[in-house]
Amino acid sequence: METSPKEVARLIKEKGQVVAFTGAGISVESGIPAFRGGQGLWEKYDPMEYAHISSFLTEPEKVWCMLREMGETILKAAPSGAHKALGALEKAGLLSAVITQNVDGLHQMAGNTNVIEYHGSHRRLICPTCSKTGPFTDEVLSVMPFPVCERCGTALKPDVVFFGEGIPVAAMARADQEATSCKIMLIIGTSGVVYPAADIPFMASRMGAKIVEINVSPTPFTSAITHHFLGGGASEAMAAILDDLGLAGV
Ligand code: APR
Protein backbone atom coordinates (compact mmCIF):
# COMPACT_ATOMS: atom_id res chain seq x y z
CA MET A 1 0.00 0.00 0.00
CA GLU A 2 2.66 2.51 1.09
CA THR A 3 4.51 3.40 -2.11
CA SER A 4 7.25 5.69 -3.43
CA PRO A 5 7.05 8.80 -5.65
CA LYS A 6 9.23 6.89 -8.15
CA GLU A 7 6.61 4.12 -8.40
CA VAL A 8 3.82 6.68 -8.92
CA ALA A 9 5.87 8.48 -11.59
CA ARG A 10 6.47 5.15 -13.38
CA LEU A 11 2.72 4.47 -13.33
CA ILE A 12 1.87 7.95 -14.69
CA LYS A 13 4.47 7.60 -17.48
CA GLU A 14 3.06 4.16 -18.37
CA LYS A 15 -0.66 5.00 -18.32
CA GLY A 16 -1.16 8.80 -18.38
CA GLN A 17 -4.84 9.91 -18.36
CA VAL A 18 -4.73 11.08 -14.77
CA VAL A 19 -7.73 12.70 -13.10
CA ALA A 20 -7.12 14.39 -9.76
CA PHE A 21 -9.71 14.40 -6.96
CA THR A 22 -8.85 17.01 -4.33
CA GLY A 23 -10.00 18.20 -0.94
CA ALA A 24 -9.15 20.79 1.68
CA GLY A 25 -5.79 19.16 2.50
CA ILE A 26 -4.25 20.46 -0.76
CA SER A 27 -5.05 24.04 0.30
CA VAL A 28 -3.85 23.74 3.90
CA GLU A 29 -0.37 24.61 2.64
CA SER A 30 -1.89 27.74 1.06
CA GLY A 31 -3.01 28.89 4.51
CA ILE A 32 -6.67 27.77 4.22
CA PRO A 33 -7.70 25.58 7.18
CA ALA A 34 -9.26 22.19 6.47
CA PHE A 35 -12.77 21.44 7.74
CA ARG A 36 -12.09 18.52 10.06
CA GLY A 37 -9.32 17.66 12.48
CA GLY A 38 -7.67 19.81 15.16
CA GLN A 39 -7.49 23.19 13.35
CA GLY A 40 -10.54 22.46 11.21
CA LEU A 41 -13.16 25.13 10.48
CA TRP A 42 -15.93 22.86 11.79
CA GLU A 43 -14.18 22.81 15.20
CA LYS A 44 -14.95 26.54 15.41
CA TYR A 45 -18.30 26.64 13.56
CA ASP A 46 -20.89 23.87 13.86
CA PRO A 47 -21.57 23.00 10.19
CA MET A 48 -25.28 22.34 10.83
CA GLU A 49 -25.59 25.82 12.35
CA TYR A 50 -23.34 27.71 9.92
CA ALA A 51 -23.19 25.68 6.69
CA HIS A 52 -26.72 24.36 6.19
CA ILE A 53 -28.91 26.19 3.66
CA SER A 54 -31.80 26.50 6.12
CA SER A 55 -29.50 28.35 8.57
CA PHE A 56 -28.40 30.70 5.78
CA LEU A 57 -31.99 31.48 4.75
CA THR A 58 -33.18 32.07 8.33
CA GLU A 59 -30.06 33.66 9.91
CA PRO A 60 -27.95 35.20 7.10
CA GLU A 61 -26.24 37.70 9.44
CA LYS A 62 -24.92 34.92 11.67
CA VAL A 63 -23.81 32.71 8.78
CA TRP A 64 -22.07 35.64 7.10
CA CYS A 65 -19.73 35.89 10.11
CA MET A 66 -18.21 32.57 9.01
CA LEU A 67 -18.49 33.31 5.29
CA ARG A 68 -16.64 36.60 5.73
CA GLU A 69 -13.81 34.83 7.59
CA MET A 70 -13.59 32.12 4.89
CA GLY A 71 -13.73 34.76 2.15
CA GLU A 72 -10.90 36.77 3.67
CA THR A 73 -8.67 33.69 3.96
CA ILE A 74 -9.45 32.53 0.41
CA LEU A 75 -8.88 35.96 -1.21
CA LYS A 76 -5.44 36.17 0.47
CA ALA A 77 -4.37 32.63 -0.55
CA ALA A 78 -1.98 31.60 -3.34
CA PRO A 79 -1.61 28.16 -4.95
CA SER A 80 0.60 25.65 -3.09
CA GLY A 81 3.33 23.55 -4.67
CA ALA A 82 0.80 20.73 -5.06
CA HIS A 83 -1.66 22.95 -6.96
CA LYS A 84 1.18 24.03 -9.25
CA ALA A 85 2.29 20.41 -9.77
CA LEU A 86 -1.19 19.51 -11.05
CA GLY A 87 -0.92 22.47 -13.42
CA ALA A 88 2.41 21.08 -14.67
CA LEU A 89 0.92 17.59 -15.15
CA GLU A 90 -1.85 19.09 -17.31
CA LYS A 91 0.69 21.11 -19.31
CA ALA A 92 2.67 17.90 -19.91
CA GLY A 93 -0.50 16.24 -21.27
CA LEU A 94 -0.64 13.67 -18.45
CA LEU A 95 -3.63 15.04 -16.53
CA SER A 96 -7.05 15.56 -18.12
CA ALA A 97 -9.08 17.07 -15.28
CA VAL A 98 -9.21 18.15 -11.65
CA ILE A 99 -12.38 17.33 -9.73
CA THR A 100 -12.27 19.44 -6.58
CA GLN A 101 -14.41 19.74 -3.49
CA ASN A 102 -12.61 23.00 -2.72
CA VAL A 103 -14.28 26.37 -3.31
CA ASP A 104 -11.07 28.47 -3.33
CA GLY A 105 -10.32 28.64 -7.08
CA LEU A 106 -6.61 27.84 -6.50
CA HIS A 107 -6.46 25.10 -9.14
CA GLN A 108 -7.39 27.57 -11.86
CA MET A 109 -4.84 30.06 -10.46
CA ALA A 110 -2.21 27.30 -10.72
CA GLY A 111 -2.93 26.85 -14.44
CA ASN A 112 -5.40 23.97 -14.61
CA THR A 113 -8.00 24.62 -17.31
CA ASN A 114 -10.37 21.66 -16.82
CA VAL A 115 -11.43 22.12 -13.18
CA ILE A 116 -14.77 20.72 -11.99
CA GLU A 117 -15.94 22.66 -8.91
CA TYR A 118 -18.10 19.96 -7.33
CA HIS A 119 -19.03 22.17 -4.36
CA GLY A 120 -19.12 25.47 -6.25
CA SER A 121 -16.92 28.51 -5.72
CA HIS A 122 -16.46 31.09 -2.95
CA ARG A 123 -15.12 33.49 -5.58
CA ARG A 124 -18.65 34.04 -6.88
CA LEU A 125 -21.78 35.39 -5.20
CA ILE A 126 -25.26 34.19 -6.08
CA CYS A 127 -28.77 35.27 -5.17
CA PRO A 128 -30.70 32.28 -3.76
CA THR A 129 -33.95 33.84 -5.08
CA CYS A 130 -33.24 35.10 -8.63
CA SER A 131 -29.88 33.33 -9.26
CA LYS A 132 -28.18 36.57 -10.24
CA THR A 133 -24.41 36.10 -9.86
CA GLY A 134 -21.41 38.41 -9.34
CA PRO A 135 -17.77 38.25 -8.21
CA PHE A 136 -16.80 37.79 -4.54
CA THR A 137 -14.32 40.66 -4.11
CA ASP A 138 -12.56 42.32 -1.17
CA GLU A 139 -15.30 44.96 -1.14
CA VAL A 140 -17.88 42.30 -0.26
CA LEU A 141 -16.03 41.64 3.01
CA SER A 142 -16.87 45.09 4.34
CA VAL A 143 -20.59 45.12 3.41
CA MET A 144 -22.54 44.93 6.70
CA PRO A 145 -24.47 43.01 7.89
CA PHE A 146 -24.26 41.15 4.50
CA PRO A 147 -24.49 41.85 0.75
CA VAL A 148 -27.96 41.87 -0.78
CA CYS A 149 -29.20 41.30 -4.31
CA GLU A 150 -29.70 44.61 -6.11
CA ARG A 151 -32.49 42.97 -8.13
CA CYS A 152 -34.63 41.41 -5.39
CA GLY A 153 -33.10 42.46 -2.07
CA THR A 154 -32.38 38.89 -0.87
CA ALA A 155 -29.21 38.13 1.14
CA LEU A 156 -26.51 37.00 -1.32
CA LYS A 157 -24.46 33.85 -0.65
CA PRO A 158 -21.16 32.59 -2.01
CA ASP A 159 -21.93 30.24 -4.92
CA VAL A 160 -20.96 27.21 -2.82
CA VAL A 161 -22.98 24.09 -2.03
CA PHE A 162 -24.33 24.29 1.53
CA PHE A 163 -25.38 21.17 3.38
CA GLY A 164 -28.99 20.52 2.36
CA GLU A 165 -28.32 21.72 -1.21
CA GLY A 166 -27.78 19.57 -4.34
CA ILE A 167 -24.57 19.29 -6.36
CA PRO A 168 -24.65 21.43 -9.54
CA VAL A 169 -25.96 19.09 -12.26
CA ALA A 170 -23.33 20.04 -14.84
CA ALA A 171 -20.49 19.47 -12.36
CA MET A 172 -21.88 16.07 -11.43
CA ALA A 173 -22.16 14.97 -15.07
CA ARG A 174 -18.65 16.15 -15.96
CA ALA A 175 -17.17 14.53 -12.84
CA ASP A 176 -18.85 11.20 -13.59
CA GLN A 177 -17.54 11.38 -17.17
CA GLU A 178 -13.95 12.04 -16.08
CA ALA A 179 -14.00 9.53 -13.21
CA THR A 180 -15.26 6.69 -15.41
CA SER A 181 -12.76 7.30 -18.22
CA CYS A 182 -9.47 7.95 -16.35
CA LYS A 183 -6.63 5.42 -16.06
CA ILE A 184 -5.31 6.84 -12.78
CA MET A 185 -7.22 8.71 -10.07
CA LEU A 186 -4.94 10.83 -7.90
CA ILE A 187 -6.68 11.56 -4.60
CA ILE A 188 -5.08 14.46 -2.71
CA GLY A 189 -5.96 15.76 0.75
CA THR A 190 -9.53 14.65 1.36
CA SER A 191 -11.03 12.77 4.35
CA GLY A 192 -13.49 11.03 1.98
CA VAL A 193 -16.43 11.35 4.38
CA VAL A 194 -18.77 13.67 2.45
CA TYR A 195 -21.08 12.16 -0.18
CA PRO A 196 -21.86 12.20 -3.05
CA ALA A 197 -18.33 13.58 -3.70
CA ALA A 198 -16.62 10.70 -1.89
CA ASP A 199 -18.18 8.21 -4.31
CA ILE A 200 -16.12 9.60 -7.22
CA PRO A 201 -12.93 7.58 -6.46
CA PHE A 202 -15.07 4.46 -6.02
CA MET A 203 -16.56 5.10 -9.47
CA ALA A 204 -13.06 5.27 -10.96
CA SER A 205 -12.02 2.14 -9.09
CA ARG A 206 -15.08 0.22 -10.36
CA MET A 207 -14.00 1.12 -13.91
CA GLY A 208 -10.51 -0.33 -13.31
CA ALA A 209 -8.53 2.86 -12.69
CA LYS A 210 -5.40 2.73 -10.52
CA ILE A 211 -5.97 4.68 -7.30
CA VAL A 212 -3.11 6.79 -5.94
CA GLU A 213 -3.69 8.63 -2.65
CA ILE A 214 -1.69 11.40 -0.96
CA ASN A 215 -2.63 12.33 2.59
CA VAL A 216 -0.92 13.01 5.92
CA SER A 217 -3.05 10.19 7.36
CA PRO A 218 -5.04 7.20 5.99
CA THR A 219 -8.71 7.63 5.03
CA PRO A 220 -11.61 5.27 4.24
CA PHE A 221 -10.27 5.11 0.65
CA THR A 222 -6.89 3.77 1.85
CA SER A 223 -8.14 0.39 3.06
CA ALA A 224 -10.93 0.09 0.46
CA ILE A 225 -9.59 1.06 -2.98
CA THR A 226 -6.15 2.72 -2.82
CA HIS A 227 -3.38 0.87 -4.72
CA HIS A 228 -0.59 3.36 -3.93
CA PHE A 229 -0.55 5.48 -0.76
CA LEU A 230 1.93 8.31 -0.22
CA GLY A 231 1.83 9.41 3.43
CA GLY A 232 2.84 13.06 3.95
CA GLY A 233 2.19 16.63 2.84
CA ALA A 234 0.72 17.16 -0.63
CA SER A 235 3.34 19.61 -1.96
CA GLU A 236 6.34 17.52 -0.89
CA ALA A 237 4.85 14.35 -2.39
CA MET A 238 3.87 16.05 -5.66
CA ALA A 239 7.29 17.71 -6.00
CA ALA A 240 8.96 14.30 -5.68
CA ILE A 241 6.65 12.80 -8.33
CA LEU A 242 7.34 15.69 -10.75
CA ASP A 243 11.04 15.22 -10.12
CA ASP A 244 10.84 11.53 -11.01
CA LEU A 245 8.84 12.45 -14.11
CA GLY A 246 11.58 14.90 -15.11
CA LEU A 247 9.06 17.75 -14.89
CA ALA A 248 10.54 19.60 -11.90
CA GLY A 249 10.47 23.34 -12.60
CA VAL A 250 7.89 23.06 -15.44
N1 APR B 1 -1.31 17.33 2.69
C1 APR B 1 -2.12 16.27 2.41
N2 APR B 1 -3.28 16.00 3.10
C2 APR B 1 -3.58 16.82 4.13
C3 APR B 1 -2.76 17.92 4.50
C4 APR B 1 -1.57 18.15 3.73
N3 APR B 1 -0.75 19.17 4.01
N4 APR B 1 -3.33 18.54 5.58
C5 APR B 1 -4.48 17.85 5.86
N5 APR B 1 -4.63 16.82 5.00
C6 APR B 1 -5.75 15.86 4.91
C7 APR B 1 -6.35 15.44 6.25
O1 APR B 1 -5.68 14.31 6.79
C8 APR B 1 -7.79 15.08 5.84
O2 APR B 1 -7.87 13.73 5.41
O3 APR B 1 -6.78 16.53 4.23
C9 APR B 1 -8.05 16.01 4.63
C10 APR B 1 -8.99 17.17 4.90
O4 APR B 1 -10.25 16.63 5.22
P1 APR B 1 -11.53 17.57 5.47
O5 APR B 1 -11.17 18.69 6.33
O6 APR B 1 -12.63 16.67 5.88
O7 APR B 1 -11.81 18.21 4.02
P2 APR B 1 -12.54 17.57 2.75
O8 APR B 1 -12.30 16.10 2.66
O9 APR B 1 -12.17 18.38 1.58
O10 APR B 1 -14.09 17.83 3.13
C11 APR B 1 -15.08 17.47 2.21
O11 APR B 1 -16.76 18.50 3.53
O12 APR B 1 -17.29 20.17 4.91
C12 APR B 1 -17.49 19.72 3.66
O13 APR B 1 -18.01 20.91 1.71
C13 APR B 1 -16.98 20.67 2.60
O14 APR B 1 -15.79 20.14 0.55
C14 APR B 1 -15.86 19.88 1.93
C15 APR B 1 -16.22 18.45 2.23
Side-chain angles (χ1 to χ4, degrees):
M1 185 82 71
E2 189 78 25
T3 190
S4 68
K6 207 177 271 321
E7 173 57 19
V8 174
R10 188 198 61 72
L11 192 67
I12 291 175
K13 251 189 224 146
E14 179 198 326
K15 293 181 177 289
Q17 278 192 276
V18 179
V19 166
F21 177 67
T22 66
I26 197 172
S27 296
V28 165
E29 295 157 0
S30 296
I32 302 177
F35 294 96
R36 295 167 187 84
Q39 309 300 314
L41 190 72
W42 297 155
E43 300 303 312
K44 185 173 177 185
Y45 298 102
D46 177 340
M48 289 307 118
E49 253 187 76
Y50 285 87
H52 194 285
I53 190 61
S54 58
S55 318
F56 178 81
L57 296 174
T58 53
E59 302 177 279
E61 185 164 350
K62 174 179 168 183
V63 173
W64 260 100
C65 293
M66 179 197 72
L67 296 173
R68 202 170 288 113
E69 183 179 321
M70 276 183 85
E72 207 170 336
T73 312
I74 286 172
L75 291 176
K76 274 191 297 204
S80 69
H83 291 108
K84 293 175 187 160
L86 293 177
L89 283 182
E90 181 185 316
K91 215 168 161 191
L94 295 165
L95 178 131
S96 55
V98 175
I99 305 169
T100 188
Q101 299 165 90
N102 301 342
V103 294
D104 53 38
L106 294 179
H107 286 300
Q108 294 92 326
M109 286 169 70
N112 284 105
T113 59
N114 187 13
V115 179
I116 301 166
E117 296 179 311
Y118 209 74
H119 290 159
S121 173
H122 205 111
R123 290 183 185 267
R124 270 189 317 272
L125 284 172
I126 189 164
C127 173
T129 304
C130 72
S131 301
K132 189 174 185 316
T133 58
F136 191 113
T137 59
D138 283 309
E139 286 68 45
V140 170
L141 298 172
S142 52
V143 178
M144 291 302 182
F146 46 77
V148 297
C149 178
E150 56 194 32
R151 194 150 66 187
C152 67
T154 303
L156 295 175
K157 70 185 255 307
D159 192 8
V160 299
V161 178
F162 278 61
F163 289 103
E165 287 192 295
I167 302 296
V169 176
M172 206 168 214
R174 284 174 63 204
D176 292 5
Q177 168 59 36
E178 296 288 350
T180 52
S181 57
C182 68
K183 291 260 184 338
I184 299 172
M185 178 151 282
L186 181 54
I187 308 172
I188 306 178
T190 178
S191 59
V193 298
V194 173
Y195 283 77
D199 192 44
I200 291 167
F202 286 94
M203 250 188 256
S205 170
R206 285 193 290 271
M207 299 301 283
K210 284 290 178 202
I211 309 295
V212 175
E213 186 181 7
I214 300 173
N215 198 309
V216 289
S217 47
T219 70
F221 299 127
T222 318
S223 53
I225 56 172
T226 297
H227 298 100
H228 303 281
F229 183 80
L230 278 175
S235 294
E236 191 187 332
M238 288 303 296
I241 293 169
L242 279 199
D243 216 22
D244 289 321
L245 282 168
L247 293 174
V250 168

